[in-house]
Amino acid sequence: MAKFKVLSGLAAALIVSTSAFAQVETVTIKRNDKQKKVEVLVGGKPFTTFMYPDTLEKPFLYPIRTASGAEITRGFPLNPKPGDPTDHPHHIGLWFNYENVNGLDFWNNSYAIPAARKSQYGWIKTQQVTEVKSGRKGILAYSANWTNQAGDVILKENTRFEFSGDKNQRVIDRITTLTAVQQALFSDVKDGMLGLRLAHELQMPTTKDEKFTDNKGIVTVIKGGTDKVPTGNYLTSEGKVGDAAWSSRGVWCKVYGKLGADSVSVAIIDHPQNPNYPTFWHARGYGLFAANPLGEKVFTNGKSEKNLTLKPNESATFKYRVIINNDSKTLKPEQLNEMASTFGK
């Protein structure tokens, strides 16, 4: 991995991020068990909400905002905005799941799946919010079960979020441990694991229609050519730009574009302890921004394959950092390299 090397020692110490001297703002966590949501505020301003209603097939963070209040997540399907793309209704906010666990599709499950086909899909059912804590760093932890439609538990999930921010930056650390109740096979597929559906403005401009087919044969058409709203582009730690980011590996990947007058960047950083590090990037121009370490067969055109099997009581942990920055300029590769180095420690 060559293009942008992670700096260390004195060189790394000399790099100053956009927020190095900014004052850290207080994070406030507001729990609402009755409505099955937890609100996160930074500096008294709404940042995001953890939502886990029984009516939806997984928990997620939605919406997610910059420090200036602009939403980086698509509104559809929960709160559609004028002109919002309406493809992939299972793409909501920031989530974590997988397309094939013991043959069940957790990724593509949504209200759009006909009842007759629901048995092919898995659910992630939040059991309990186990910790909330406000302060310079906000803490939110929860437990959940990955089940089939009959409610049989395949995996137990324990996730911890850490939230922080300052006047121009917001940070989400997600640490998820999956523990097998029964043997769990994560078959090598493209749709997983950490997913983020971007706001319309952060999509990449395109002049052509695109078709995407999932593993059940369902085709989604993404229209191109007439959409003048998108301003986004991708860049990875290995220097891959735009569409070339998809299927490539890297320590980090960022999308950047304009939201109003602000230059906004959203970066996802992989962790050295994650399975199959560094991850493959399932980063699509139409607004899906995902890190999938287990999609090797698809992303290498069959040259290699990465299946993950957890025997009963075995666990796997996945750690990610999401950095949302708004300022007059986007985060530089050198800054992201230093942030990745810090996160990796």
Side-chain angles (χ1 to χ4, degrees):
M1 311 237 113
K3 290 271 180 144
F4 298 127
K5 295 181 179 179
V6 176
L7 301 178
S8 59
L10 179 61
L14 292 174
I15 292 179
V16 179
S17 79
T18 58
S19 302
F21 298 114
Q23 183 165 346
V24 174
E25 297 184 326
T26 299
V27 181
T28 304
I29 310 292
K30 294 184 177 181
R31 179 174 180 169
N32 189 327
D33 292 347
K34 185 175 181 180
Q35 295 185 17
K36 296 199 171 183
K37 68 179 185 180
V38 181
E39 296 176 87
V40 182
L41 298 88
V42 180
K45 296 187 293 185
F47 173 32
T48 190
T49 300
F50 175 66
M51 304 177 69
Y52 57 103
D54 294 333
T55 54
L56 295 174
E57 290 79 2
K58 60 179 178 288
F60 45 83
L61 295 178
Y62 170 89
I64 301 174
R65 301 175 179 89
T66 66
S68 64
E71 294 185 5
I72 65 156
T73 44
R74 179 179 68 167
F76 175 84
L78 298 186
N79 185 26
K81 301 173 184 176
D84 252 359
T86 57
D87 59 274
H88 299 84
H90 50 279
H91 291 174
I92 306 175
L94 180 74
W95 70 94
F96 181 92
N97 60 13
Y98 198 66
E99 184 185 359
N100 191 334
V101 181
N102 289 0
L104 293 174
D105 186 347
F106 286 84
W107 180 276
N108 290 290
N109 198 4
S110 77
Y111 67 84
I113 303 300
R117 301 185 64 173
K118 275 285 192 179
S119 63
Q120 301 174 56
Y121 295 80
W123 287 68
I124 300 178
K125 300 182 179 181
T126 303
Q127 300 300 297
Q128 184 180 6
V129 173
T130 55
E131 182 184 4
V132 294
K133 182 181 179 182
S134 301
R136 289 171 61 86
K137 182 176 289 185
I139 306 298
L140 164 61
Y142 72 90
S143 61
N145 290 335
W146 292 40
T147 77
N148 61 17
Q149 296 296 308
D152 300 320
V153 179
I154 301 169
L155 296 158
K156 287 190 174 295
E157 173 185 336
N158 284 286
T159 289
R160 176 185 175 92
F161 289 110
E162 297 182 358
F163 303 98
S164 58
D166 58 38
K167 68 174 185 177
N168 289 120
Q169 193 166 277
R170 299 287 185 261
V171 178
I172 303 169
D173 285 353
R174 177 179 181 131
I175 304 98
T176 293
T177 298
L178 300 177
T179 302
V181 174
Q182 54 181 280
Q183 182 160 300
L185 171 61
F186 295 75
S187 297
D188 187 321
V189 288
K190 67 178 176 62
D191 286 334
M193 303 274 298
L194 184 73
L196 172 64
R197 184 58 193 255
L198 298 164
H200 194 182
E201 293 88 341
L202 294 177
Q203 295 175 218
M204 286 174 53
T206 182
T207 58
K208 62 181 181 179
D209 292 352
E210 296 179 281
K211 292 184 178 180
F212 298 95
T213 305
D214 68 16
N215 71 332
K216 303 294 188 302
I218 299 174
V219 178
T220 300
V221 178
I222 309 297
K223 301 295 290 184
T226 59
D227 191 352
K228 306 302 180 183
V229 175
T231 65
N233 201 5
Y234 288 107
L235 174 67
T236 76
S237 58
E238 305 312 302
K240 301 294 184 181
V241 177
D243 289 329
W246 187 83
S247 80
S248 70
R249 303 183 82 151
V251 173
W252 55 259
C253 181
K254 76 165 182 174
V255 64
Y256 58 99
K258 285 285 187 178
L259 278 174
D262 275 341
S263 292
V264 172
S265 62
V266 183
I268 300 176
I269 299 176
D270 197 19
H271 195 280
Q273 294 176 353
N274 285 348
N276 210 21
Y277 172 88
T279 191
F280 290 94
W281 295 106
H282 187 16
R284 294 290 199 185
Y286 69 79
L288 171 64
F289 185 13
N292 182 11
L294 304 181
E296 191 162 320
K297 185 175 182 179
V298 174
F299 299 138
T300 64
N301 292 317
K303 294 178 182 177
S304 57
E305 188 170 345
K306 183 64 176 181
N307 298 300
L308 174 66
T309 299
L310 296 178
K311 296 178 181 179
N313 298 318
E314 286 186 340
S315 298
T317 297
F318 300 83
K319 304 177 184 180
Y320 298 98
R321 174 165 288 176
V322 181
I323 300 170
I324 301 117
N325 195 79
N326 64 283
D327 208 342
S328 58
K329 297 180 181 179
T330 183
L331 289 173
K332 297 178 180 179
E334 293 83 2
Q335 293 170 310
L336 286 166
N337 284 336
E338 175 60 13
M339 292 172 179
S341 177
T342 301
F343 182 50
K345 296 175 183 177

